[in-house]
């Protein structure tokens, strides 16, 4: 029988109760000093109660100098560890897995005048980033390893390395950004070296059985897309050799996709999966209905990851299984700015739907 979204998925060291993963999404709900708020915990609980088998947190910062958002959850020091215990146990009580995403913003870091990147480059607003030294690369690797160790001690089910969307690790992998001439640039094995050293370091510090996942761009803005495809095949095979639990495939341009587009990366993801069949893969990008989820599984991909559909409707999975035709998310991406303008509101469509519901309720009451 073919896999359905309710089918459990056996990874190397853990079993996911179904094929649905909440992809990492920065919620704008944490406090400005790097801690989850009650609203953040409630969000995770609601997702876990509504058919999401695995929850990956929004990007958590491993280095004080690599923060991407003022209200980002931090994990760069011991004081940030305990908050993950409550989140993990809340999610695990629903039978779901809780996997923090760990990240370094590189040149997109805030509150930092000394910006660093894989190579030196001019940035917007007449700023520039300088190239990381090898000693600094090794320091950043250690920050990721220390973060994983802290998270393991808080009882999480694994960690996901954020190596997508132009954050620091993805910039090493992608030749669009990486023109280094040392052992961290050039060949794909060199460009992947920082990630590989982090994975090896985490396995050494936390044990071989501690699950390490990775999110990576399936595509590139580099002119040589065919070469990047070959890079991806190499990277996925290497991930399998390194004992990576699951690779989540995303892309560089999800935000620029036409609003009506769905399953942006499915074709290439299916090609890659066929070439590296033993490696568990999930796909994120433009999943807006049960039919979309089923199409991903039918293409041979192991799991389905959801971003904006779960911002719009945290119960999107249960609703879909109960017959809802499609998500209310129209990929407007206002969820990237709305929470800053109107704290607490994460999706304009969800907000409108709630207002309409309240209006009907009020009318019904006054008619009684
Ligand atoms: C508001 C918002 C915040 C996001 N934060 C993260 C993040 O912290 N880490 C990450 O890897 N991706 C992040 N993403 C990207 C999503 O995980 C996902 O890859 C992307 O939205 C495409 O999937 P979708 O079409 O299902 O939304 C974010 C997306 C949105 C809309």
């Amino acid at each position: 029988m073919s896999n359905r979204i309710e089918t459990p998925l056996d990874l190397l060291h853990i079993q996911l109760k179904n094929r649905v993963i909440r992809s990492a999404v920065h919620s704008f709900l944490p406090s400005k000093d790097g801690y989850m708020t009650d609203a953040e915990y409630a969000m995770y609980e609601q997702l876990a109660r509504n058919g999401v088998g695995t929850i990956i947190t929004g990007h958590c910062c491993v280095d004080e100098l690599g923060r991407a958002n003022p209200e980002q959850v931090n994990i760069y020091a011991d004081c940030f560890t305990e908050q993950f215990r409550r989140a993990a146990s809340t999610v695990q009580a629903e039978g779901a897995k809780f996997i923090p995403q760990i990240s370094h913003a590189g040149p997109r870091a805030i509150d930092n005048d000394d910006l660093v990147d894989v190579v030196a480059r001019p940035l917007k607003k007449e700023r520039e980033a300088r190239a990381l030294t090898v000693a600094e690369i090794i320091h950043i690797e250690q920050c990721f390893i220390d973060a994983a160790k802290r998270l393991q001690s808080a009882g999480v089910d694994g960690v996901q390395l954020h190596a997508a969307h132009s954050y620091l690790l993805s910039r090493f992998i992608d030749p669009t950004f990486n023109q280094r001439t040392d052992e961290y640039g050039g060949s794909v094995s060199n460009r992947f070296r920082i990630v590989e050293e982090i994975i090896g370091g985490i396995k050494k510090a936390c044990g071989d059985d501690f699950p390490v996942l990775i999110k990576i761009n399936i595509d590139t803005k580099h002119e040589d897309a065919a070469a990047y495809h070959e890079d991806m095949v190499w990277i996925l095979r290497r991930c399998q050799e390194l004992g990576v639990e699951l690779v989540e495939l995303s892309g560089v341009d999800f935000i620029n996709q036409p609003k009506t587009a769905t399953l942006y990366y499915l074709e290439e993801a299916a090609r890659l999966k066929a070439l590296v069949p033993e490696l568990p893969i999930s796909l994120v990008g433009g999943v807006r209905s049960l039919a979309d989820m089923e199409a991903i599984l039918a293409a041979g991909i192991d799991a389905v990851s959801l971003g904006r559909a779960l911002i719009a409707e945290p119960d999107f999975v249960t609703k879909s299984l109960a017959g809802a035709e499609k998500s209310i998310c129209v990929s407007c991406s206002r969820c990237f700015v709305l929470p800053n303008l109107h704290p607490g509101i994460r999706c304009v469509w969800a907000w409108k739907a709630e207002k309409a519901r309240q209006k009907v309720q009020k009318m019904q009451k006054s008619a009684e």
Side-chain angles (χ1 to χ4, degrees):
M1 199 186 81
S2 63
N3 289 322
R4 297 175 50 82
I5 65 168
E6 302 99 317
T7 311
L9 176 60
D10 284 318
L11 302 181
L12 273 177
H13 304 102
I14 43 171
Q15 187 189 61
L16 310 184
K17 75 169 180 181
N18 63 28
R19 305 294 172 118
V20 183
I21 298 177
R22 188 272 206 163
S23 204
V25 161
H26 177 69
S27 65
F28 298 88
L29 296 173
S31 67
K32 293 230 156 74
D33 52 359
Y35 292 93
M36 293 180 218
T37 55
D38 286 346
E40 177 98 350
Y41 290 116
M43 172 189 69
Y44 289 135
E45 185 167 29
Q46 192 182 17
L47 290 169
R49 285 192 173 163
N50 281 283
V52 179
T54 303
I55 294 177
I56 300 178
T57 69
H59 52 186
C60 302
C61 185
V62 300
D63 179 352
E64 195 172 7
L65 300 178
R67 283 162 43 76
N69 301 83
E71 67 294 297
Q72 186 173 15
V73 174
N74 293 329
I75 186 61
Y76 61 75
D78 291 346
C79 59
F80 299 113
T81 307
E82 270 312 298
Q83 59 178 331
F84 287 89
R85 191 178 304 283
R86 175 173 162 196
S89 56
T90 302
V91 167
Q92 289 158 353
E94 303 297 330
K97 298 282 186 258
F98 183 76
I99 300 190
Q101 183 186 61
I102 50 178
S103 183
H104 190 296
R108 299 169 69 178
I110 56 166
D111 304 333
N112 184 5
D113 290 331
D114 182 24
L115 292 169
V116 289
D117 200 352
V118 56
V119 296
R121 79 179 68 247
L123 303 171
K124 288 179 190 157
K125 298 184 187 160
E126 291 175 15
R127 300 196 323 154
E128 48 187 81
R130 65 179 176 78
L132 284 163
T133 65
V134 170
E136 286 171 328
I137 291 173
I138 289 165
H139 168 73
I140 289 173
E141 289 176 2
Q142 194 58 48
C143 290
F144 275 93
I145 297 162
D146 292 344
K149 188 90 185 115
R150 288 186 190 104
L151 290 166
Q152 184 189 34
S153 77
V156 307
D157 295 294
V159 290
Q160 183 188 60
L161 306 183
H162 191 356
H165 308 162
S166 306
Y167 286 91
L168 186 63
L169 298 184
S170 76
R171 301 169 88 90
F172 272 87
I173 293 169
D174 188 337
T176 317
F177 299 102
N178 189 344
Q179 291 91 33
R180 288 181 81 97
T181 51
D182 63 2
E183 66 270 39
Y184 290 93
S187 65
V188 62
S189 58
N190 279 357
R191 283 182 274 122
F192 195 63
R193 188 178 304 280
I194 183 169
V195 176
E196 181 159 339
E197 287 175 349
I198 291 169
I199 295 168
I202 293 175
K203 294 275 179 192
K204 201 166 165 206
C206 301
D208 260 341
D209 55 353
F210 183 63
V212 179
L213 292 73
I214 176 168
K215 184 173 185 178
I216 195 164
N217 288 332
I218 200 168
D219 61 352
T220 176
K221 289 197 171 148
H222 195 263
E223 63 220 14
D224 198 348
Y228 191 77
H229 168 82
E230 293 307 320
D231 289 352
M232 282 300 293
V233 176
W234 186 92
I235 287 170
L236 294 181
R237 289 195 174 129
R238 193 73 192 121
C239 283
Q240 195 187 340
E241 285 162 9
L242 293 168
V244 169
E245 208 76 9
L246 176 136
V247 176
E248 189 181 43
L249 296 172
S250 184
V252 284
D253 61 347
F254 71 86
I255 207 162
N256 298 320
Q257 297 289 332
K259 293 196 183 16
T260 50
T262 55
L263 305 181
Y264 319 133
Y265 312 116
L266 179 55
E267 208 177 306
E268 172 67 350
R271 276 171 69 196
L272 291 168
K273 173 69 190 177
L275 292 167
V276 195
E278 299 300 318
L279 179 72
I281 282 180
S282 184
L283 179 64
V284 64
V287 180
R288 300 291 179 267
S289 66
L290 181 60
D292 289 342
M293 296 190 245
E294 286 171 345
I296 290 178
L297 298 182
I301 292 158
D302 306 275
V304 175
S305 293
L306 303 162
R308 285 165 289 181
L310 291 174
I311 300 178
E313 296 164 289
D315 55 354
F316 170 66
V317 178
T318 38
K319 273 186 188 159
S320 299
L321 287 170
E325 201 190 323
K326 62 177 180 140
S327 167
I328 62 167
C329 172
V330 295
S331 307
C332 68
S333 289
R334 281 150 83 179
C335 42
F336 275 110
V337 285
L338 194 65
N340 281 328
L341 304 174
H342 302 283
I345 302 179
R346 297 180 60 215
C347 169
V348 68
W349 305 102
W351 180 80
K352 282 185 181 174
E354 177 58 18
K355 286 280 155 214
R357 194 192 63 78
Q358 285 173 6
K359 198 170 162 191
V360 170
Q361 205 178 31
K362 209 168 157 193
M363 277 161 50
Q364 281 170 343
K365 264 208 175 140
S366 58
E368 278 166 15

